[in-house]
Amino acid sequence: MSKPLCVLVGAPGAGKSTVGQLLAQAYGVPFRDTDADVEATAGKPISEIFIDEGEPHFRAMETAAVAAALAEHEGVLALGGGAVLAEDNRALLAGHTVVYLSVDLSDAVSRVGLGQGRPLLNFNPRATLRFLLDQRRPLYEQVATHTVGTDGRTPEEITAELVELLKG
Ligand SMILES: Nc1ncnc2c1ncn2[C@@H]1O[C@H](COP(=O)(O)OP(=O)(O)O)[C@@H](O)[C@H]1O
Ligand SMILES: O=C(O)C1=C[C@@H](OP(=O)(O)O)[C@@H](O)[C@H](O)C1
Ligand SMILES: [Mg+2]
Protein backbone atom coordinates (compact mmCIF):
# COMPACT_ATOMS: atom_id res chain seq x y z
CA MET A 1 0.00 0.00 0.00
CA SER A 2 1.36 3.39 -0.93
CA LYS A 3 0.91 5.65 2.08
CA PRO A 4 1.58 9.13 3.41
CA LEU A 5 4.72 9.51 5.47
CA CYS A 6 2.54 11.03 8.17
CA VAL A 7 -1.09 12.12 8.58
CA LEU A 8 -1.93 15.05 10.87
CA VAL A 9 -5.24 15.17 12.75
CA GLY A 10 -6.57 17.51 15.43
CA ALA A 11 -8.99 20.33 16.10
CA PRO A 12 -9.25 23.57 14.12
CA GLY A 13 -6.35 25.76 15.21
CA ALA A 14 -4.13 22.83 16.23
CA GLY A 15 -1.80 23.86 13.39
CA LYS A 16 -2.20 20.85 11.05
CA SER A 17 -1.92 22.91 7.87
CA THR A 18 0.95 25.05 9.18
CA VAL A 19 3.02 22.29 10.80
CA GLY A 20 2.23 19.93 7.91
CA GLN A 21 3.86 22.30 5.43
CA LEU A 22 6.91 22.78 7.66
CA LEU A 23 7.26 19.04 8.20
CA ALA A 24 7.02 18.36 4.47
CA GLN A 25 9.72 20.99 3.86
CA ALA A 26 11.92 19.41 6.53
CA TYR A 27 11.63 16.03 4.81
CA GLY A 28 11.74 17.44 1.27
CA VAL A 29 8.46 15.72 0.40
CA PRO A 30 5.16 17.10 -0.96
CA PHE A 31 2.45 18.42 1.34
CA ARG A 32 -1.25 17.80 0.82
CA ASP A 33 -4.28 19.08 2.72
CA THR A 34 -7.71 17.51 2.24
CA ASP A 35 -9.39 20.92 2.73
CA ALA A 36 -7.48 22.25 -0.29
CA ASP A 37 -8.40 19.10 -2.26
CA VAL A 38 -12.10 19.62 -1.49
CA GLU A 39 -11.89 23.29 -2.49
CA ALA A 40 -10.13 22.39 -5.75
CA THR A 41 -12.78 19.77 -6.58
CA ALA A 42 -15.66 22.13 -5.74
CA GLY A 43 -14.02 25.13 -7.37
CA LYS A 44 -14.88 27.30 -4.36
CA PRO A 45 -13.93 27.87 -0.72
CA ILE A 46 -15.25 25.61 2.05
CA SER A 47 -17.26 28.54 3.43
CA GLU A 48 -19.21 28.69 0.15
CA ILE A 49 -19.71 24.91 0.02
CA PHE A 50 -21.35 25.15 3.47
CA ILE A 51 -23.60 27.99 2.30
CA ASP A 52 -24.52 26.57 -1.13
CA GLU A 53 -24.70 22.81 -0.48
CA GLY A 54 -24.56 22.39 3.31
CA GLU A 55 -22.30 20.55 5.75
CA PRO A 56 -23.39 16.98 4.78
CA HIS A 57 -22.29 17.64 1.20
CA PHE A 58 -18.95 18.98 2.47
CA ARG A 59 -18.52 15.86 4.66
CA ALA A 60 -19.16 13.55 1.67
CA MET A 61 -16.58 15.45 -0.38
CA GLU A 62 -14.16 15.32 2.54
CA THR A 63 -14.53 11.55 2.89
CA ALA A 64 -13.77 11.11 -0.83
CA ALA A 65 -10.74 13.42 -0.49
CA VAL A 66 -9.44 11.51 2.55
CA ALA A 67 -9.75 8.16 0.77
CA ALA A 68 -7.98 9.46 -2.35
CA ALA A 69 -5.17 11.15 -0.43
CA LEU A 70 -4.52 8.12 1.79
CA ALA A 71 -4.30 5.92 -1.29
CA GLU A 72 -2.17 8.23 -3.44
CA HIS A 73 -0.11 10.65 -1.38
CA GLU A 74 3.36 9.71 -0.21
CA GLY A 75 4.32 12.94 1.58
CA VAL A 76 2.79 14.69 4.59
CA LEU A 77 -1.01 14.87 4.73
CA ALA A 78 -3.15 17.22 6.85
CA LEU A 79 -6.83 16.38 7.33
CA GLY A 80 -9.62 18.82 8.16
CA GLY A 81 -10.46 18.89 11.86
CA GLY A 82 -13.80 17.11 11.39
CA ALA A 83 -12.54 14.30 9.17
CA VAL A 84 -12.40 11.88 12.13
CA LEU A 85 -16.17 12.19 12.66
CA ALA A 86 -16.80 9.72 9.82
CA GLU A 87 -16.31 6.09 10.77
CA ASP A 88 -15.20 5.35 7.20
CA ASN A 89 -12.34 7.82 7.58
CA ARG A 90 -11.31 6.44 10.96
CA ALA A 91 -11.22 2.93 9.50
CA LEU A 92 -9.10 4.12 6.55
CA LEU A 93 -6.55 5.63 8.94
CA ALA A 94 -5.73 2.23 10.47
CA GLY A 95 -2.19 1.20 9.58
CA HIS A 96 -1.02 4.75 8.88
CA THR A 97 1.30 6.93 10.94
CA VAL A 98 -1.22 9.37 12.42
CA VAL A 99 -0.12 12.30 14.59
CA TYR A 100 -2.70 13.98 16.81
CA LEU A 101 -1.75 17.63 17.27
CA SER A 102 -3.51 18.48 20.52
CA VAL A 103 -4.53 22.01 21.47
CA ASP A 104 -6.37 23.43 24.46
CA LEU A 105 -9.35 25.74 24.22
CA SER A 106 -7.57 29.04 24.81
CA ASP A 107 -4.82 28.47 22.24
CA ALA A 108 -7.35 27.16 19.69
CA VAL A 109 -9.58 30.22 20.16
CA SER A 110 -6.73 32.67 19.75
CA ARG A 111 -5.38 30.85 16.69
CA VAL A 112 -8.65 30.52 14.77
CA GLY A 113 -9.32 34.15 15.58
CA LEU A 114 -6.37 34.93 13.34
CA GLY A 115 -7.93 33.45 10.22
CA GLN A 116 -11.14 33.18 8.22
CA GLY A 117 -12.87 30.42 6.38
CA ARG A 118 -14.04 28.00 9.06
CA PRO A 119 -17.83 28.16 8.70
CA LEU A 120 -18.48 26.05 11.81
CA LEU A 121 -16.77 28.74 13.88
CA ASN A 122 -18.50 31.79 12.42
CA PHE A 123 -20.88 32.02 15.37
CA ASN A 124 -19.50 31.96 18.92
CA PRO A 125 -16.14 30.31 18.13
CA ARG A 126 -15.24 29.79 21.79
CA ALA A 127 -18.41 27.82 22.66
CA THR A 128 -18.27 25.87 19.41
CA LEU A 129 -14.62 24.98 19.89
CA ARG A 130 -15.29 23.89 23.47
CA PHE A 131 -17.95 21.50 22.16
CA LEU A 132 -15.80 20.27 19.26
CA LEU A 133 -12.78 19.62 21.47
CA ASP A 134 -14.85 17.56 23.93
CA GLN A 135 -16.70 15.67 21.20
CA ARG A 136 -13.64 14.85 19.12
CA ARG A 137 -10.84 14.29 21.63
CA PRO A 138 -11.67 10.55 21.98
CA LEU A 139 -11.81 10.21 18.20
CA TYR A 140 -8.42 11.87 17.69
CA GLU A 141 -6.99 9.62 20.42
CA GLN A 142 -8.55 6.56 18.78
CA VAL A 143 -6.90 7.11 15.39
CA ALA A 144 -3.55 8.50 16.60
CA THR A 145 -0.32 6.54 16.69
CA HIS A 146 1.45 9.58 18.24
CA THR A 147 0.29 12.68 20.12
CA VAL A 148 2.12 16.01 20.22
CA GLY A 149 0.99 18.97 22.37
CA THR A 150 1.04 22.33 20.64
CA ASP A 151 0.03 24.76 23.41
CA GLY A 152 2.42 27.68 23.86
CA ARG A 153 4.82 26.30 21.26
CA THR A 154 5.83 27.62 17.87
CA PRO A 155 5.17 25.68 14.66
CA GLU A 156 8.95 25.31 14.25
CA GLU A 157 9.33 23.76 17.74
CA ILE A 158 6.48 21.35 17.04
CA THR A 159 7.96 20.40 13.67
CA ALA A 160 11.35 19.70 15.25
CA GLU A 161 9.70 17.40 17.82
CA LEU A 162 7.84 15.59 15.06
CA VAL A 163 11.03 15.00 13.08
CA GLU A 164 12.59 13.41 16.21
CA LEU A 165 9.46 11.42 17.04
CA LEU A 166 9.12 9.98 13.56
CA LYS A 167 12.78 8.99 13.26
CA GLY A 168 12.20 5.65 14.91
N1 LIG B 1 1.89 26.54 17.22
C1 LIG B 1 1.27 27.66 16.81
N2 LIG B 1 1.41 28.79 17.53
C2 LIG B 1 0.79 29.94 17.15
N3 LIG B 1 0.00 30.05 16.04
C3 LIG B 1 -0.16 28.95 15.29
C4 LIG B 1 0.46 27.71 15.62
N4 LIG B 1 0.11 26.79 14.68
C5 LIG B 1 -0.69 27.44 13.81
N5 LIG B 1 -0.85 28.72 14.16
C6 LIG B 1 -1.69 29.75 13.48
O1 LIG B 1 -3.03 29.40 13.81
C7 LIG B 1 -3.87 29.51 12.67
C8 LIG B 1 -4.48 28.14 12.37
O2 LIG B 1 -3.44 27.25 11.93
P1 LIG B 1 -3.72 26.09 10.90
O3 LIG B 1 -2.41 25.49 10.52
O4 LIG B 1 -4.61 26.56 9.80
O5 LIG B 1 -4.53 25.05 11.82
P2 LIG B 1 -5.45 23.83 11.43
O6 LIG B 1 -5.11 23.43 10.02
O7 LIG B 1 -5.13 22.76 12.43
O8 LIG B 1 -6.86 24.34 11.60
C9 LIG B 1 -3.00 30.07 11.55
O9 LIG B 1 -3.15 31.47 11.53
C10 LIG B 1 -1.59 29.69 11.97
O10 LIG B 1 -0.62 30.60 11.50
O1 LIG C 1 -13.46 21.06 12.31
C1 LIG C 1 -14.14 21.05 11.27
O2 LIG C 1 -15.23 20.43 11.20
C2 LIG C 1 -13.62 21.75 10.08
C3 LIG C 1 -12.28 22.11 10.06
C4 LIG C 1 -11.67 22.82 8.93
O3 LIG C 1 -10.30 22.43 8.78
P1 LIG C 1 -9.15 22.79 9.85
O4 LIG C 1 -9.24 21.81 11.00
O5 LIG C 1 -7.88 22.64 9.08
O6 LIG C 1 -9.40 24.19 10.32
C5 LIG C 1 -12.43 22.53 7.64
O7 LIG C 1 -12.26 21.17 7.26
C6 LIG C 1 -13.89 22.82 7.81
O8 LIG C 1 -14.04 24.21 8.03
C7 LIG C 1 -14.53 22.00 8.93
MG1 LIG D 1 -6.11 23.13 8.23
Side-chain angles (χ1 to χ4, degrees):
M1 176 172 70
S2 133
K3 53 160 89 172
L5 192 65
C6 163
V7 185
L8 300 179
V9 301
K16 304 176 293 298
S17 301
T18 306
V19 170
Q21 289 180 54
L22 291 175
L23 187 63
Q25 275 170 28
Y27 282 126
V29 300
F31 172 67
R32 186 157 161 174
D33 192 317
T34 57
D35 282 341
D37 291 349
V38 168
E39 290 184 332
T41 302
K44 55 186 167 186
I46 289 169
S47 53
E48 287 182 27
I49 304 173
F50 269 65
I51 292 167
D52 295 344
E53 283 97 17
E55 183 176 348
H57 183 80
F58 168 75
R59 294 297 174 199
M61 291 192 73
E62 180 175 52
T63 293
V66 169
L70 288 175
E72 293 163 12
H73 184 63
E74 295 192 349
V76 175
L77 176 67
L79 304 189
V84 297
L85 293 171
E87 196 178 344
D88 284 357
N89 293 342
R90 298 199 300 274
L92 284 173
L93 285 168
H96 290 280
T97 299
V98 181
V99 176
Y100 166 31
L101 294 181
S102 70
V103 63
D104 72 12
L105 182 62
S106 61
D107 279 46
V109 169
S110 63
R111 291 181 197 164
V112 299
L114 301 174
Q116 301 288 316
R118 291 181 182 81
L120 286 181
L121 304 178
N122 282 346
F123 176 73
N124 202 340
R126 187 180 180 84
T128 307
L129 269 170
R130 188 200 311 273
F131 170 77
L132 294 185
L133 287 168
D134 287 347
Q135 176 198 42
R136 296 176 182 175
R137 191 174 297 110
L139 303 178
Y140 296 135
E141 288 172 350
Q142 184 188 320
V143 298
T145 53
H146 305 78
T147 299
V148 171
T150 71
D151 300 309
R153 306 175 69 200
T154 66
E156 290 74 17
E157 287 169 345
I158 297 158
T159 302
E161 181 179 339
L162 274 170
V163 169
E164 280 304 308
L165 188 69
L166 298 175
K167 261 184 187 161

